[in-house]
């Protein structure tokens, strides 16, 4: 990749982000509702992901599954553009002239951690708005008088009542989740991709778009599952921190997780695991396939 193509890395990432939201937002809504309702002691408790999904469809329709999607399209698309763009550019810079193709942990991990840390500053406010919108459905614990009419209303009221820092509630937790999670994601993606391409080159000379798409689906899906398996407890803590009506509640994720563990055990720390994993594979597979296809169309060379 030459310097003149730097903007193309960000365009490809933007396309990947749009694909992620379209594919994964309904699963994310179910995950957030489970994390909010099943950990707190009052209100309805869902029996699982399917029960939660059925309740949403019954009481709110398909639209309920995409509650908060507006902020996701804005936040995730911009975040994805930065994530893939910064990762690609940082990786290229750290590699220098080495184009051996074999993933190097000393290149992949710092590039992913750095990109994850940067995007956490965009993700935090957009996810706060998304989560607060998602938990105010028909079964919401939020009083009707305190509900938001839309994402902009949510953001403005949050800033008005909690100050500018209120919109960044859960920022440290988001930074931890994205830094650790993306280090895991890109490590799995790069290594599985390298292994599969090496095996295919050794066994067949036939290469094509369908084969590349198949590899993209598998590497993206496995990377997504690895990401969420590694950081779901941090995500549970983030949801609790960002949706708590108590402005004085702790924002320390480790204190929150300790409290959850005392009341609900390790299972509580992994609340929403089912819909999260179900979402992780198709959403990240779609992101990687669209990212790699966009790079190919834009003429960006992959290592």
């Amino acid at each position: 990749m030459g310097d003149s193509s730097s903007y193309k890395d960000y365009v490809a990432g933007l396309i990947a982000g749009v694909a992620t939201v379209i594919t994964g937002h309904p699963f994310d809504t179910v995950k957030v509702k489970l994390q909010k309702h099943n950990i707190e002691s009052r209100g309805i408790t869902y029996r699982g992901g399917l029960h939660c999904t059925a309740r949403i469809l019954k009481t709110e329709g398909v639209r309920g599954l995409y509650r908060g999607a507006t902020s996701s399209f804005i936040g995730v698309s911009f975040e994805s553009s930065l994530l893939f763009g910064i990762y690609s550019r940082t990786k290229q810079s750290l590699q220098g002239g080495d184009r051996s193709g074999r993933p190097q942990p000393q290149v992949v991990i710092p590039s992913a951690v750095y990109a994850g840390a940067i995007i956490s500053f965009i993700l935090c406010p957009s996810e706060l708005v998304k989560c607060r919108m998602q938990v105010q459905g028909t079964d919401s614990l939020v009083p009707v008088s305190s509900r938001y009419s839309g994402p902009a209303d949510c953001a403005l009221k949050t800033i008005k009542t909690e100050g500018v820092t209120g919109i960044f509630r859960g920022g440290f937790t988001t930074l931890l989740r994205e830094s650790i999670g993306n280090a895991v994601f890109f490590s799995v993606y790069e290594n599985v991709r390298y292994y599969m391409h090496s095996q295919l080159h050794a066994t067949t000379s036939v290469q094509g778009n369908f084969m590349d798409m198949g590899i993209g689906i598998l590497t993206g899906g496995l990377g997504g599952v690895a990401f969420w398996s590694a950081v779901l407890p941090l995500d549970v803590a983030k949801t609790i921190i960002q949706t708590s009506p108590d402005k004085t509640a702790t924002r320390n994720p480790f204190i929150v997780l300790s409290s959850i563990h005392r009341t609900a055990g390790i299972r509580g720390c992994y609340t929403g695991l089912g819909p999260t994993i179900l979402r992780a594979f198709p959403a990240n597979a779609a992101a990687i396939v669209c990212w790699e296809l966009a790079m190919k169309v834009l003429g960006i060379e992959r290592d």
Side-chain angles (χ1 to χ4, degrees):
M1 290 181 292
D3 291 337
S4 61
S5 69
S6 61
Y7 79 92
K8 295 180 181 179
D9 293 312
Y10 295 94
V11 173
L14 178 70
I15 294 170
V18 172
T20 300
V21 177
I22 293 173
T23 309
H25 192 82
F27 296 98
D28 186 68
T29 298
V30 173
K31 177 204 71 175
V32 169
K33 281 183 175 287
L34 284 170
Q35 290 174 345
K36 176 67 174 177
H37 287 255
N38 285 18
I39 289 174
E40 299 194 352
S41 58
R42 59 191 187 282
I44 186 171
T45 298
Y46 302 112
R47 293 192 297 271
L50 288 177
H51 177 225
C52 182
T53 303
R55 283 283 303 177
I56 294 171
L57 291 173
K58 181 179 179 180
T59 58
E60 303 175 60
V62 174
R63 185 177 179 181
L65 291 173
Y66 280 91
R67 187 178 292 276
T70 302
S71 62
S72 274
F73 270 114
I74 296 171
V76 174
S77 297
F78 187 36
E79 164 264 317
S80 182
S81 175
L82 286 177
L83 174 66
F84 285 103
I86 292 172
Y87 172 75
S88 296
R89 306 308 296 178
T90 306
K91 180 184 166 191
Q92 179 190 2
S93 177
L94 291 178
Q95 279 178 325
D98 185 353
R99 290 292 184 269
S100 62
R102 181 182 291 276
Q104 304 170 58
Q106 69 272 24
V107 170
V108 173
I109 293 175
S111 299
V113 168
Y114 176 58
I118 295 296
I119 65 166
S120 69
F121 293 97
I122 287 106
L123 267 182
C124 181
S126 71
E127 288 204 359
L128 180 140
V129 171
K130 172 187 70 67
C131 288
R132 291 187 175 188
M133 292 295 296
Q134 286 173 321
V135 300
Q136 66 173 27
T138 304
D139 297 328
S140 179
L141 303 172
V142 181
V144 175
S145 60
S146 301
R147 296 186 188 182
Y148 308 108
S149 60
D153 181 51
C154 177
L156 290 173
K157 283 183 178 177
T158 298
I159 293 172
K160 183 178 180 180
T161 58
E162 302 178 41
V164 176
T165 57
I167 204 73
F168 285 95
R169 184 193 287 197
F172 174 63
T173 311
T174 306
L175 186 147
L176 285 178
R177 187 195 70 179
E178 291 303 308
S179 298
I180 297 169
N182 279 296
V184 173
F185 174 82
F186 281 108
S187 294
V188 171
Y189 163 71
E190 295 282 10
N191 281 283
V192 174
R193 180 179 181 273
Y194 175 79
Y195 174 79
M196 292 190 70
H197 276 291
S198 297
Q199 291 298 109
L200 286 173
H201 280 301
T203 57
T204 179
S205 59
V206 179
Q207 300 291 322
N209 291 331
F210 284 111
M211 195 169 291
D212 288 340
M213 185 176 294
I215 292 174
I217 290 172
L218 188 59
T219 54
L222 290 177
V225 170
F227 178 112
W228 287 106
S229 297
V231 299
L232 186 61
L234 286 171
D235 187 68
V236 172
K238 184 190 72 68
T239 297
I240 299 303
I241 292 168
Q242 292 187 324
T243 59
S244 173
D246 183 2
K247 287 184 267 186
T248 63
T250 181
R251 301 187 184 188
N252 186 319
F254 304 109
I255 294 176
V256 173
L257 287 174
S258 178
S259 175
I260 293 172
H261 187 267
R262 283 197 302 271
T263 57
I266 191 67
R267 186 173 180 178
C269 296
Y270 281 88
T271 301
L273 179 63
T276 299
I277 296 301
L278 285 175
R279 168 190 179 273
F281 197 98
N284 286 279
I288 288 298
V289 168
C290 289
W291 180 48
E292 292 186 341
L293 179 61
M295 286 196 296
K296 186 175 291 187
V297 171
L298 292 168
I300 303 173
E301 294 182 10
R302 282 287 283 135
D303 296 331

